[in-house]
Amino acid sequence: MDTLEQFREETRQWLLAHAPKSMCTPVRVVDDLCWGGRRAQYPADVKRWLDVMAERGWTAPTWPKQYGGGGLDKAEAKILSQEMAKLGVRAPLVGFGLTMIGPLLLQEGSEDLKRVHLPPIGRGEIRWCQGYSEPGAGSDLAGLQARAVIDGDDFVVTGQKIWTSYADKADWMFLLVRTDPNVRKQAGITFLLMDMTSPGVSVRPILLISGSSPFCETFLDNVRVPRSQVVGQVNGGWAMAKALLGHERTMIADIFKDRAPGNPLLELARRYLPASAARIADPIIRDRITQLDMDAACLDLTLKRSQDSMKAGHKPGPETSMFKYYGTETNMRRRELMLAIAGPQGLGWEGAGFDESELALTRDWLRSRGNSIEGGTSEIQLNIIAKRVLGLPD
C-alpha cells in the first residue's frame, strides 16, 4: 500500500470512529452549518464534531500546523474531502474566518497577526464579519468614507458600514478605512482588523423583504483600533481588498449550491405537477430542470478545480468574478423555477393553506432577489470579466 492509499485508509477509519451519526446527514440550509464564535450555542454533536476536527487541524486542513491547520498537502486534502463526501459527513466549520480573512492572512499577514488570529479561527472560537460596503460606497468600493486617524499606538475610526453580513453575531470585523483623503482614492485606504466589542461599535440588523435579517448596519464612533492590527501597509489596503475579494467571490458561489439530498426540483415537480409515463408531463419544465442541473454540475466542478488550485498555493485571480456571477445567477434561476413549479402554493406568506416548506419557497425566492447585488453586483462582475479576463476594451 503506497503512502497516499495508507493515508486514505487511516482517514476513513478515523472519520468512521469520530464523526457523530447526526453529522452524516445532509445540510438543508446555510443555518444548519456551524459558524463558530464566542456566543455560538450548538447541539452537543455539532460541538463535538467541531472540537475533534479542530484538534486534528482538519477544520483548515491545508493551513500550516503552527497556525492551527492540518498541514496536509494538496493530495492529502483532496483525499480527506473525498472520504468526507463518501460518508456524507458535514463540514465541521464554515465562515468568513476560514474562507476570507484566514487565507488573506496566510498570504499577506505579519507573523504576529497569523499567530494571534489563525488558531482561534481554526478552532471555531471567533466569528468574523466584513466591513467593506458603506451607504455611499458599494459598487464603487474605493469611494469609502469611514476614516481612521492615527493617535499614538491606535487608529481612531469613525464612520458607517452597511450590508454587514452577521455583524450582530460576529466577534471581529475586517474592514477598509480611509487613512489619506488627499491622494487617489485607491491609494488612501488601509485594511484593519477590529474587535467588535471595542467601545464605540454599535450594530443594527436590517430587515429584508424575506423577513430575515442577516445583514446589518454597523456604526463606528471613535473606535480605537491598535496599529498592530493593520494587514499589509498603511494606505496599501486596496491591494488587500482585491486579494480578499477573490476568496469572497469563490465562497459566495459555493454557498449558493443546492445542498439538499437527491433532486429537490424533480421531487417538487412530482408533488405539484401531473406526470405521464413516470415522468413530468410538462416538457418545458423537464427541460428547465435538466438544464439547471447541468449548469449547477458544471459550476460545481469548476469551483472544485479552483479550490484545488488555491490549496496548492495559487492566489485567486479575476476569474473568481465568473464564480460569483454564475453562482448567484444559478441560485436565482433555481428559486424562480421552484416557484413556477409550486404555482399558487408558492405564493404564501403566513397563515392557513400553506405548509412550512411552501412558506419557505416564498421567502427563499424573495431572499434570492438580493443575490445579484450582495458581494459585488452582477454588473460589476461582468465588467471585471470583460476587462480583466477577456481583455476587452473600455
Side-chain angles (χ1 to χ4, degrees):
M1 183 180 293
D2 65 27
T3 303
L4 285 180
E5 280 308 302
Q6 183 177 347
F7 176 78
R8 183 184 296 279
E9 180 59 25
E10 290 173 354
T11 298
R12 182 187 302 119
Q13 294 304 322
W14 188 90
L15 291 172
L16 286 169
H18 291 85
K21 289 184 178 178
S22 63
M23 294 295 97
C24 299
T25 57
V27 172
R28 300 163 302 167
V29 295
V30 170
D31 286 342
D32 281 348
L33 297 165
C34 176
W35 293 75
R38 292 172 180 154
R39 290 168 286 171
Q41 293 184 342
Y42 295 106
D45 280 358
V46 174
K47 186 67 168 61
R48 183 160 64 247
W49 183 225
L50 168 63
D51 288 345
V52 295
M53 287 289 275
E55 184 177 0
R56 203 173 176 88
W58 284 1
T59 51
T62 60
W63 290 9
K65 288 187 176 181
Q66 65 266 35
Y67 305 134
L72 302 186
D73 62 25
K74 177 183 174 182
E76 291 169 334
K78 187 173 184 178
I79 287 173
L80 172 61
S81 178
Q82 289 173 340
E83 292 305 312
M84 289 179 67
K86 286 178 185 175
L87 298 175
V89 186
R90 296 183 186 182
L93 180 67
V94 299
F96 302 161
L98 283 178
T99 56
M100 294 168 68
I101 188 62
L104 181 71
L105 288 176
L106 282 171
Q107 290 175 11
E108 310 289 350
S110 66
E111 185 62 22
D112 283 347
L113 289 178
K114 291 177 185 176
R115 290 191 179 278
V116 167
H117 293 293
L118 292 177
I121 291 174
R123 293 192 295 267
E125 295 171 351
I126 300 296
R127 184 167 179 171
W128 289 78
C129 64
Q130 179 189 50
Y132 271 24
S133 295
E134 297 182 5
S139 295
D140 179 21
L141 181 60
L144 62 91
Q145 296 297 315
R147 60 188 174 87
V149 178
I150 292 177
D151 182 18
D153 291 333
D154 298 335
F155 282 102
V156 178
V157 182
T158 303
Q160 180 187 354
K161 298 294 178 178
I162 197 168
W163 309 122
T164 321
S165 300
Y166 305 112
D168 53 341
K169 298 180 174 62
D171 306 300
W172 277 69
M173 170 188 281
F174 49 90
L175 72 161
L176 299 173
V177 292
R178 183 156 302 286
T179 42
D180 189 343
N182 301 312
V183 296
R184 185 173 63 90
K185 59 185 182 180
Q186 287 89 350
I189 293 172
T190 298
F191 192 109
L192 293 179
L193 308 180
M194 182 188 75
D195 190 329
M196 293 291 281
T197 62
S198 303
V201 178
S202 58
V203 175
R204 185 166 62 194
I206 300 172
L207 184 62
L208 302 184
I209 192 174
S210 63
S212 62
S213 301
F215 297 139
C216 300
E217 294 175 284
T218 304
F219 300 91
L220 309 168
D221 183 11
N222 291 315
V223 181
R224 300 191 77 88
V225 179
R227 292 170 65 176
S228 60
Q229 297 303 315
V230 173
V231 181
Q233 302 296 318
V234 174
N235 293 327
W238 188 243
M240 301 298 105
K242 289 193 297 182
L244 186 137
L245 283 172
H247 297 292
E248 180 188 18
R249 288 163 184 159
T250 304
M251 177 200 69
I252 289 176
D254 189 61
I255 281 178
F256 287 132
K257 289 193 300 187
D258 196 336
R259 290 179 163 79
N263 189 325
L265 285 171
L266 193 55
E267 294 303 317
L268 201 68
R270 285 172 175 155
R271 176 179 176 183
Y272 290 103
L273 300 178
S276 175
R279 63 180 187 174
I280 306 305
D282 187 333
I284 295 177
I285 292 293
R286 289 205 309 270
D287 180 71
R288 290 177 68 182
I289 292 174
T290 303
Q291 188 63 56
L292 195 60
D293 278 351
M294 293 168 61
D295 291 345
C298 290
L299 175 62
D300 191 30
L301 291 171
T302 308
L303 273 170
K304 286 179 179 174
R305 284 202 302 274
S306 175
Q307 289 163 349
D308 283 346
S309 175
M310 283 190 276
K311 288 174 183 175
H314 299 135
K315 297 181 180 179
E319 71 278 2
T320 54
S321 287
M322 295 190 293
F323 302 147
K324 198 280 172 181
Y325 175 78
Y326 207 74
T328 54
E329 293 295 321
T330 301
N331 188 58
M332 292 168 66
R333 285 170 53 203
R334 180 186 299 114
R335 300 302 170 190
E336 290 278 359
L337 180 53
M338 294 174 88
L339 215 63
I341 291 172
Q345 291 306 112
L347 299 176
W349 183 253
E350 61 184 6
F354 304 96
D355 64 26
E356 185 178 342
S357 66
E358 290 167 341
L359 295 176
L361 279 180
T362 311
R363 292 172 186 262
D364 289 345
W365 173 74
L366 287 168
R367 172 65 185 85
S368 73
R369 298 299 86 194
N371 293 166
S372 63
I373 300 173
E374 58 196 326
T377 65
S378 289
E379 288 77 9
I380 290 290
Q381 308 309 322
L382 289 172
N383 275 339
I384 294 172
I385 294 167
K387 293 179 182 177
R388 300 183 60 198
V389 178
L390 301 177
L392 299 177
D394 290 333

